[in-house]
């Protein structure tokens, strides 16, 4: 069984450092070989690419732009009337992905519009999302990139997010029918069943403790040693993104990962 490959989500980790470039350097010196950035758009792609290269990091994931955060937007993929802005954001994401040598882009679905009833707009939003996904699949295929769909739970994290279960995302992926669109999985309920069922279409996994969103080793509902072993046994080959809120100093909080590396052999041990 191959050990899992972990990726530092520098939008969440190392909050004690102001710039993404500084966070990338910190991730490299903490032993990571891969990193992901939620929204890299505030810094020039060349500077980020250089920082990643100097830190010995491969960039493995970025998100499409969120849209207008002031208006409460959180991605545009399924939002009616925002198709042009989604396509514009996709072009920007592709530019960054190419500059960063990053193979995956999370195509954010977005939220049910303010005041709208989820059940009433679900059909229209799915239609918009499928139209955008088919467009995105074509654009991404030309650049040899993969698009990811991530269900975000509506109980705790984002009550209005459109895509809220792996079942819903898998059904949309099946309708979109593009081999370069895959599922992005965040550790949520019914994990053993979901991992076994959906892993064949999963392109990326992210981890954080529930409900506090802290380190995998922080107190909470999830048993990460068990989950990591399950991913290994199921032959997961992608990256596991560390998308959590450090409860204290980021590097001290990485003791769970150092102990995983000690047991499984660190991928960098030869360097």
């Amino acid at each position: 069984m191959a050990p899992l490959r972990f990726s530092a989500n520098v939008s969440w980790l190392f909050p004690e450092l102001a710039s993404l470039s500084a966070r990338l350097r910190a991730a490299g010196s903490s032993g990571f070989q891969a990193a992901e950035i939620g929204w890299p758009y505030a810094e020039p792609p060349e500077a980020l690419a250089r920082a990643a290269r100097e830190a010995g990091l491969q960039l493995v994931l970025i998100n499409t732009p969120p849209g207008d955060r002031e208006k409460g937007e959180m991605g545009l993929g399924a939002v009616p009337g925002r198709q042009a802005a989604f396509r514009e954001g996709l072009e920007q994401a592709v530019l960054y992905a190419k500059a960063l040598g990053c193979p995956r882009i999370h195509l954010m679905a977005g939220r049910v519009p303010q005041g709208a009833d989820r059940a009433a707009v679900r059909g229209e939003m799915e239609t918009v999302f499928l139209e955008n996904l088919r467009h995105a699949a074509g654009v991404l295929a030309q650049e040899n990139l993969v698009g990811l769909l991530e269900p975000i739970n509506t109980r705790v994290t984002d009550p209005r997010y459109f895509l809220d279960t792996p079942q819903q995302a898998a059904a949309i992926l099946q309708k979109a029918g593009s081999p370069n669109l895959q599922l992005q999985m965040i550790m949520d309920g019914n994990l053993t069943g979901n991992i076994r069922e959906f892993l064949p279409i999963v392109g990326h996994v992210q981890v954080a403790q529930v409900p506090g969103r802290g380190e995998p080793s922080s107190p909470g509902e999830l048993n990460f040693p068990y989950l990591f072993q399950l991913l290994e046994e199921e032959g997961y080959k992608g990256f596991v993104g560390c998308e959590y809120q450090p409860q204290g100093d980021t590097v001290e909080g990485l003791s769970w990962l150092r102990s995983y590396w000690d047991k499984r052999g660190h991928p960098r041990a030869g360097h």
Side-chain angles (χ1 to χ4, degrees):
M1 276 186 316
L4 298 173
R5 301 183 297 164
F6 288 89
S7 155
N9 189 313
V10 295
S11 299
W12 290 74
L13 302 189
F14 310 103
E16 50 277 1
L17 302 169
S19 77
L20 290 172
S21 296
R23 293 179 184 196
L24 287 168
R25 286 191 284 274
S29 40
S30 304
F32 283 99
Q33 287 185 299
E36 55 199 62
I37 304 174
W39 293 308
Y41 308 107
E43 296 183 32
E46 300 74 24
L48 292 173
R50 189 169 57 245
R53 208 166 41 242
E54 286 166 2
L57 292 169
Q58 176 189 358
L59 273 156
V60 298
L61 178 72
I62 59 172
N63 297 345
T64 47
D68 190 339
R69 300 290 298 272
E70 303 283 295
K71 291 190 177 144
E73 288 184 328
M74 182 69 172
L76 301 171
V79 182
R82 297 289 272 143
Q83 288 91 324
F86 172 79
R87 290 176 184 207
E88 224 168 277
L90 178 68
E91 298 298 331
Q92 192 185 13
V94 167
L95 279 177
Y96 268 76
K98 285 167 67 176
L100 298 170
C102 173
R104 291 171 207 83
I105 299 175
H106 167 205
L107 306 169
M108 298 197 72
R111 292 174 169 148
V112 173
Q114 276 292 14
D117 172 65
R118 176 182 290 274
V121 296
R122 191 179 180 123
E124 185 192 358
M125 289 188 75
E126 183 174 303
T127 302
V128 169
F129 201 21
L130 279 167
E131 182 192 317
N132 280 333
L133 289 175
R134 291 190 181 114
H135 169 79
V139 171
L140 296 174
Q142 287 173 352
E143 306 295 347
N144 208 11
L145 297 169
V146 168
L148 298 174
L149 271 60
E150 179 189 24
I152 296 176
N153 84 72
T154 46
R155 296 185 310 281
V156 183
T157 310
D158 195 333
R160 285 176 34 237
Y161 204 74
F162 169 68
L163 204 58
D164 64 342
T165 67
Q167 287 76 8
Q168 180 194 6
I172 287 173
L173 283 170
Q174 198 169 9
K175 288 179 191 168
S178 298
N180 68 333
L181 298 180
Q182 296 173 339
L183 182 64
Q184 178 173 327
M185 210 170 190
I186 190 151
M187 294 304 194
D188 193 24
N190 183 24
L191 284 170
T192 303
N194 283 348
I195 287 171
R196 292 202 169 124
E197 181 179 354
F198 296 112
L199 209 58
I201 59 166
V202 167
H204 193 75
V205 167
Q206 288 174 328
V207 295
Q209 188 52 277
V210 176
R213 199 74 201 243
E215 281 87 352
S217 53
S218 61
E221 296 174 18
L222 300 184
N223 174 353
F224 278 100
Y226 164 79
L227 291 171
F228 292 154
Q229 192 177 337
L230 179 63
L231 286 171
E232 290 170 2
E233 285 168 1
E234 295 289 320
Y236 178 62
K237 296 279 185 285
F239 286 90
V240 176
C242 303
E243 194 192 58
Y244 59 76
Q245 267 156 349
Q247 306 293 286
D249 176 78
T250 301
V251 177
E252 277 171 38
L254 286 167
S255 54
W256 65 273
L257 183 53
R258 288 190 290 271
S259 81
Y260 177 91
W261 281 336
D262 289 345
K263 289 192 189 82
R264 302 290 203 287
H266 187 285
R268 270 205 182 156
H271 289 227

